[in-house]
């Protein structure tokens, strides 16, 4: 006789859950709250104001860093998602591929290594080959460590998709690329979108690699924010952080909505 256990009925489980989420989200709530503080001193509340958001949007250094981050993130997302899509198609549709497990491990290797190791290795490699363009170095490095983050959702989507659809398209004399474009890709599009959004967020959020590889004029947003922290926390910094939180929530909501829609259809 099997007995089901619901952890919600364990003594103290509800209290532990509330304490956990309070500990996790209270600092974020504090940052958002004090971003509307009129006083320049973060810890002294003197009234409600949105002037720090206006100040953040007028900050030329911030806007330059944002443009750099968006350029790097968008380019790296496109490159990483393209590589991840090709790798996922090959690894999922060719079970007899030689060194298949090894190839999958290589694709996911950046997830297994500490980021500082990848950043130092990239810095040494670029220095040895004389690759000095700061923006290009960031794009190459971000593309490399974002690839496994894009690969996992696409691979999972392909694993849950029957190959019968592709076989039916081939039986109807569709060329391999036509079958992929008209059948496979629309079916795995939610996974591709989720992988791309995850890669984009990871790239926008990266600090260690960006801090090591950036040069003059290619400072990314996380590196710029870190430079502001050295001067002391201000409501403007809180406003910038709140805008980043809002952007992340919008991207996550879009990804979840698309995934839920695909699950309802499939």
């Amino acid at each position: 006789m099997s007995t089901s256990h619901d952890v919600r009925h364990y003594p103290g489980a509800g209290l532990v859950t509330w304490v956990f989420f309070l500990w996790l989200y209270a600092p974020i709530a504090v940052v958002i709250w004090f971003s509307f503080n009129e006083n320049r001193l973060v810890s002294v509340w003197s009234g409600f104001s949105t002037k720090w958001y206006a100040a953040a949007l007028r900050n030329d250094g911030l806007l330059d860093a944002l443009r750099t981050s968006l350029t790097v993130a968008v380019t790296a997302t496109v490159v990483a998602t393209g590589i991840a899509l090709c790798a996922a198609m090959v690894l999922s549709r060719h079970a007899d591929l030689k060194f298949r497990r090894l190839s999958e491990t290589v694709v996911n290797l950046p997830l297994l290594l500490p980021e500082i190791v990848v950043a130092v290795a990239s810095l040494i490699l670029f220095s040895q080959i004389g690759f000095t363009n700061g923006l290009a170095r960031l794009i190459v490095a971000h593309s490399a460590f974002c690839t496994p983050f894009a690969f996992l959702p696409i691979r999972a989507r392909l694993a849950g998709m029957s190959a019968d659809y592709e076989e039916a398209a081939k039986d109807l004399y569709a060329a391999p690329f036509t079958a992929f474009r008209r059948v496979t890709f629309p079916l795995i599009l939610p996974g591709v979108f989720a992988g791309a959004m995850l890669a984009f967020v990871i790239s926008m959020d990266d600090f260690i690699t960006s801090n090591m590889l950036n040069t003059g004029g290619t400072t990314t947003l996380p590196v710029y924010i870190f430079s502001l922290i050295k001067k002391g926390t201000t409501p403007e910094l809180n406003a910038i952080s709140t805008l980043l939180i809002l952007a992340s929530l919008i991207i996550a909501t879009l990804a979840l909505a698309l995934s839920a829609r695909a699950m309802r259809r499939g």
Side-chain angles (χ1 to χ4, degrees), residues 32-218:
I32 296 174
W33 174 256
F34 278 104
S35 69
F36 295 101
N37 186 11
E38 186 180 14
N39 199 327
R40 186 170 184 82
L41 297 177
V42 176
S43 58
V44 180
W45 179 267
S46 61
F48 182 89
S49 175
T50 59
K51 67 179 183 179
W52 298 110
Y53 287 89
L57 296 176
R58 290 195 304 266
N59 189 322
D60 292 335
L62 169 66
L63 296 178
D64 289 340
L66 177 60
R67 279 191 289 268
T68 300
S69 285
L70 288 174
T71 301
V72 173
V74 170
T75 308
T77 296
V78 172
V79 174
T81 305
I83 295 173
L85 177 59
C86 294
M89 286 294 299
V90 171
L91 294 174
S92 63
R93 291 297 184 256
H94 297 83
D96 57 344
L97 182 69
K98 193 175 182 180
F99 303 121
R100 179 169 172 267
R101 294 295 182 187
L102 177 61
S103 300
E104 192 165 355
T105 301
V106 170
V107 174
N108 291 318
L109 192 59
L111 286 176
L112 307 176
L113 297 175
E115 187 181 353
I116 186 65
V117 174
V118 178
V120 171
S122 301
L123 179 62
I124 294 174
L125 173 63
F126 294 152
S127 299
Q128 289 293 322
I129 64 177
F131 192 15
T132 59
N133 187 298
L135 186 64
R137 296 200 307 181
L138 287 174
I139 291 173
V140 172
H142 280 227
S143 299
F145 70 71
C146 285
T147 296
F149 292 97
F151 172 80
L152 292 177
I154 299 174
R155 180 73 171 84
R157 185 68 180 173
L158 280 168
M161 172 188 159
S162 174
D164 294 341
Y165 299 105
E166 296 162 297
E167 294 297 330
K170 293 176 182 178
D171 289 341
L172 294 172
Y173 304 103
F177 181 74
T178 302
F180 169 78
R181 180 173 59 87
R182 301 292 296 272
V183 178
T184 307
F185 187 73
L187 289 174
I188 66 173
L189 183 58
V192 175
F193 179 78
M197 290 300 97
L198 185 58
F200 178 81
V201 171
I202 293 297
S203 177
M204 285 290 294
D205 187 56
D206 178 75
F207 170 76
I208 296 176
T209 302
S210 300
N211 190 44
M212 284 196 171
L213 298 180
N214 81 91
T215 57
T218 59

